[in-house]
Amino acid sequence: MSQINKVPASNGAQWLLDGFATLRKAPLALGMIGLAWGLVSALVAVSGQLWLNAILTVLGPVLFGGVVFAAREVEQGRNAHPLHLLQGLRDGKFVHFLALLLPQVVALIVLAVLLVVMVGGDQLQHMVDVMEKLQASPEPDPALVESLPLNALFAWLIAVLVVSVVAGFFTFVAVPEVMLGDRGGFAAMGLSFRACLRNLGAVLVFMLLFVVMLFAITLAVQILVALLQWMLGQAFAVFTGQLLLTAVLLPLLGGTLLSAWRYLLGAGAGLGVAPPPMPSTGIEA
């Protein structure tokens, strides 16, 4: 069994710094990978075909494994390109990646059951009726909002947060373990869950910093979207903003989880506890 390293809570910040360092080393190449995924997602969304959305959802773990693979290539001084998104398929790991969807499916089922139990079937129907009335009325009645089961909904939202975090523990470093290691999906998920529990402080620090970073990047993109909207129109501005977010966030997250995998499971991956130092200067496309 792989060794699960114990790291200090502050190490969660280092993962994010390493992700930025990897992105800074090859922003154009890694950005094109995120852009390619974003374009495919946009085309699928515009098509309105449910089967295409289903295929893209199933391929999600494989595609993100490709992002992690590309980040590793850049880190080791090699080139990255959009075809790396399909590296998991070329390596014959599709079934292993497919298993990584299980925590999401289970989480959705658990949350659906909790919604019925915590809110109640009658109250859910009441919520649907209230929403229809609010949409149909030009001047919404505040009494309708007050009639909603707000306390139960708030409690359910807390449950959503807890269940989502727990489900995320199973896949946190499972994607790089499947992509770059030699384990199957279920073994990688078990290893990821135990690593997150043992390093709960570092994982929580990372999550907090990632939310702050996500807010900052989203705000910057929204400012750019506002400028583009004034010059080129709303549709083009919103579309460009979404692609820019994808181009930045996907490779950043790929490099970040690559670092987390190395720190948490470094000995098992044969890579040591700490990743190799990143060069401080130079930008490679």
Side-chain angles (χ1 to χ4, degrees):
M1 183 177 69
S2 288
Q3 173 185 344
I4 297 176
N5 301 312
K6 175 66 176 177
V7 300
S10 59
N11 195 247
Q14 185 61 49
W15 306 338
L16 197 55
L17 291 175
D18 290 343
F20 275 109
T22 301
L23 180 59
R24 188 170 63 248
K25 189 178 180 183
L28 295 181
L30 291 175
M32 287 299 297
I33 293 175
L35 185 64
W37 191 344
L39 282 172
V40 171
S41 300
L43 291 175
V44 169
V46 170
S47 71
Q49 299 295 320
L50 292 179
W51 65 273
L52 286 177
N53 278 281
I55 291 176
L56 188 61
T57 299
V58 169
L59 289 177
V62 180
L63 297 177
F64 189 69
V67 175
V68 172
F69 182 88
R72 201 270 301 271
E73 292 295 285
V74 168
E75 187 184 77
Q76 296 184 353
R78 294 186 288 270
N79 293 327
H81 51 78
L83 288 179
H84 280 150
L85 287 170
L86 303 177
Q87 187 65 37
L89 295 178
R90 290 199 291 266
D91 291 347
K93 297 185 176 183
F94 173 71
V95 175
H96 299 316
F97 279 112
L98 189 63
L100 302 188
L101 292 171
L102 184 60
Q104 301 176 37
V105 174
V106 173
L108 289 175
I109 294 174
V110 169
L111 290 175
V113 172
L114 287 177
L115 181 61
V116 174
V117 171
M118 298 173 69
V119 178
D122 293 339
Q123 288 294 335
L124 288 174
Q125 182 59 50
H126 174 65
M127 288 172 55
V128 173
D129 296 339
V130 168
M131 293 303 173
E132 292 177 350
K133 292 178 181 178
L134 290 175
Q135 292 176 356
S137 176
E139 296 183 1
D141 185 0
L144 290 175
V145 178
E146 294 176 359
S147 68
L148 294 173
L150 298 179
N151 291 334
L153 286 175
F154 180 73
W156 181 74
L157 289 176
I158 295 177
V160 170
L161 177 62
V162 173
V163 171
S164 299
V165 169
V166 172
F169 283 0
F170 283 97
T171 57
F172 186 65
V173 289
V175 171
E177 178 66 19
V178 170
M179 185 71 254
L180 305 176
D182 57 358
R183 282 176 177 76
F186 290 103
M189 285 190 291
L191 202 61
S192 176
F193 184 75
R194 294 193 300 273
C196 288
L197 288 183
R198 188 176 183 192
N199 296 277
L200 188 59
V203 174
L204 292 179
V205 167
F206 161 73
M207 289 181 174
L208 176 61
L209 293 178
F210 184 78
V211 169
V212 174
M213 179 274 302
L214 181 62
F215 175 79
I217 292 179
T218 303
L219 180 61
V221 170
Q222 289 299 322
I223 293 175
L224 177 61
V225 167
L227 293 175
L228 291 176
Q229 182 176 341
W230 175 66
M231 294 184 296
L232 301 172
Q234 181 178 3
F236 178 82
V238 172
F239 181 71
T240 302
Q242 292 175 343
L243 290 183
L244 184 59
L245 271 177
T246 307
V248 173
L249 290 178
L250 280 177
L252 174 60
L253 190 56
T256 297
L257 295 189
L258 174 64
S259 176
W261 173 69
R262 280 200 169 118
Y263 275 105
L264 297 182
L265 305 177
L271 296 170
V273 175
M278 297 295 298
S280 58
T281 58
I283 296 180
E284 174 186 325

